[in-house]
Amino acid sequence: MKDEKARKVLVIDVGGTHVKVLATGRPKEVKIASGKSMSGPDMVRAVRKTTRSWSFDVVSIGYPGPVLHGRPVRDPVNLGPGWVGLDFAKAFGKPVRLVNDAAMQALGSYQGGRMLFLGLGTGLGTAMIVDGLIEPMELAHLPYKKGRTYEDFVGERGRERLGNKKWRKEVADVIERLRAALEPDEVVLGGGNEKRVKELPDGVRRGDNRNAFLGGFRMWQTDRLRSKSAEKGRGKP
């Protein structure tokens, strides 16, 4: 059995527009077009074709939806069907650890202490890391105001409805509400719309979408930087 730190990891960051893949020792990520017609088996086939000449021992997957015990709970909103119940370890022929995509990016952004990650993208991805232990969260769908959820205001549809100026005010308000409730040491903003936030409150820093790959590599390290939900359902090396 290989030492965990010596393993070569294939990281798959699944998104509604692209599936991005990177492996240990590769110089640059590769993007695969996704979209509403891409099913779970379609993703596996596309990734296997793209990486057929790559060398890797294990797989990390960032999944755009809720994950329980290392398995998708429901199919992604912006992709096709066939994700729930798919045996990813069997499909890739390698041990697989799968977490929510926001959790994977949070893991790559983590520097210590209590960190709240907010992914501003198509929706709102959320995760909390406390002393190295990561807990994916589904805060996006909690009631916020006017009968709508947090995601309705700070996700992409909210930005399009409100315009950038009002959207930024909502983002600032959501940060303060969640910070007051969860008491993190710091908040990290990630996701595709993080760059649209001009001024950051004290105690808030910017993440980077590329941190998703670092998070994927960290998922196979031997420290505590791993998800409780992934731990319960991972394939054994």
Side-chain angles (χ1 to χ4, degrees):
M1 183 174 67
K2 289 179 178 289
D3 180 84
E4 286 198 352
K5 292 184 178 179
R7 289 188 179 121
K8 293 183 178 180
V9 184
L10 173 66
V11 183
I12 305 171
D13 186 14
V14 181
T17 304
H18 293 96
V19 174
K20 294 177 284 187
V21 293
L22 182 69
T24 304
R26 303 292 300 187
K28 188 177 180 181
E29 70 189 62
V30 175
K31 293 183 178 181
I32 303 167
S34 56
K36 288 188 175 295
S37 64
M38 177 176 270
S39 68
D42 289 340
M43 183 277 287
V44 172
R45 283 191 290 269
V47 170
R48 291 194 60 153
K49 181 178 179 181
T50 299
T51 62
R52 61 182 177 274
S53 64
W54 296 16
S55 175
F56 56 92
D57 306 303
V58 294
V59 181
S60 296
I61 301 176
Y63 179 76
V67 174
L68 183 64
H69 305 325
R71 299 180 183 277
V73 174
R74 59 174 179 265
D75 289 332
V77 174
N78 297 314
L79 295 170
W83 300 80
V84 177
L86 179 60
D87 188 334
F88 290 93
K90 182 178 180 180
F92 282 103
K94 305 284 184 179
V96 172
R97 292 180 179 172
L98 183 147
V99 295
N100 173 265
D101 56 351
M104 192 163 78
Q105 190 176 149
L107 195 55
S109 305
Y110 183 65
Q111 296 177 358
R114 295 171 56 88
M115 187 196 80
L116 173 63
F117 177 84
L118 301 177
L120 302 173
T122 303
L124 172 65
T126 57
M128 188 89 179
I129 303 182
V130 179
D131 297 332
L133 186 62
I134 185 168
E135 183 59 42
M137 308 177 86
E138 289 294 322
L139 302 176
H141 306 296
L142 293 176
Y144 177 43
K145 58 183 181 181
K146 298 181 179 179
R148 291 175 169 170
T149 66
Y150 287 106
E151 185 170 274
D152 291 331
F153 279 84
V154 300
E156 178 61 15
R157 289 191 302 272
R159 189 188 68 81
E160 292 175 351
R161 184 181 76 252
L162 297 168
N164 284 331
K165 186 175 182 179
K166 291 183 178 179
W167 175 81
R168 291 187 191 106
K169 290 182 179 179
E170 297 295 347
V171 169
D173 183 62
V174 168
I175 290 172
E176 290 310 308
R177 288 176 184 239
L178 294 180
R179 183 153 61 176
L182 298 171
E183 299 183 331
D185 298 322
E186 66 171 350
V187 177
V188 173
L189 293 186
N193 280 334
E194 162 273 321
K195 61 183 178 293
R196 299 182 188 275
V197 180
K198 292 184 177 180
E199 298 181 5
L200 299 181
D202 291 340
V204 180
R205 63 178 169 90
R206 298 183 191 277
D208 189 312
N209 283 345
R210 290 172 294 183
N211 286 342
F213 293 115
L214 177 56
F217 295 134
R218 284 181 170 181
M219 283 165 61
W220 289 93
Q221 292 176 358
T222 54
D223 55 25
R224 295 183 65 213
L225 284 170
R226 51 185 56 164
S227 166
K228 288 191 292 186
S229 60
E231 281 289 283
K232 295 176 183 177
R234 69 180 188 270
K236 291 186 178 180

